[in-house]
Amino acid sequence: QVQLVESGGGLVQPGGSLRLSCAASRRIIGISVMGWYRQAPGKQRELVATLTSSGSTTYADSVKGRFTISRDNAKNTVYLQMNSLKPEDTAVYYCNVQPTGRNGYWGQGTQVTVSS
């Protein structure tokens, strides 16, 4: 049914910026929360940012002030703007969309590598 397609990852130098996109194949009705997770090699998956349907946001302490989660409802897309990137941000990033009262959806993951 619904697929989430991620894009925008790649290789960037420390201090640089990237914008990740997560586009749904069709509109999802009744979204409760959207989020971005990341998983570095040998580490557990970590919640990076969330955005509720009412517009409230949360961020992991490690990215607060540098990352911004947003959405464009007309494009069925959620974004993660990443600024002042650090090598510690290197990971595979996954988007997640959670409708109210049913199973959610996951993107395929996109690699972000921060290195000089």
Side-chain angles (χ1 to χ4, degrees):
Q1 44 175 337
V2 174
Q3 292 182 305
L4 303 182
V5 180
E6 299 182 32
S7 62
L11 175 64
V12 65
Q13 293 186 338
S17 298
L18 287 173
R19 188 180 73 163
L20 306 183
S21 298
C22 175
S25 60
R26 66 172 181 84
R27 185 170 62 90
I28 302 172
I29 299 174
I31 294 174
S32 176
V33 61
M34 295 156 280
W36 287 93
Y37 294 74
R38 67 186 182 187
Q39 188 165 20
K43 303 293 179 62
Q44 291 185 290
R45 188 169 296 188
E46 172 191 24
L47 179 62
V48 175
T50 66
L51 173 62
T52 69
S53 59
S54 63
S56 298
T57 59
T58 68
Y59 297 94
D61 288 342
S62 59
V63 308
K64 192 172 298 181
R66 300 187 297 118
F67 290 12
T68 303
I69 186 171
S70 63
R71 66 190 176 199
D72 186 334
N73 291 335
K75 297 181 179 180
N76 298 328
T77 301
V78 60
Y79 303 97
L80 185 68
Q81 178 67 46
M82 305 185 295
N83 299 325
S84 302
L85 283 162
K86 305 174 180 179
E88 307 92 89
D89 297 318
T90 296
V92 177
Y93 284 71
Y94 299 89
C95 66
N96 171 259
V97 177
Q98 180 59 58
T100 301
R102 63 187 192 273
N103 290 340
Y105 305 93
W106 287 91
Q108 83 281 4
T110 185
Q111 176 71 47
V112 172
T113 302
V114 184
S115 176
S116 59

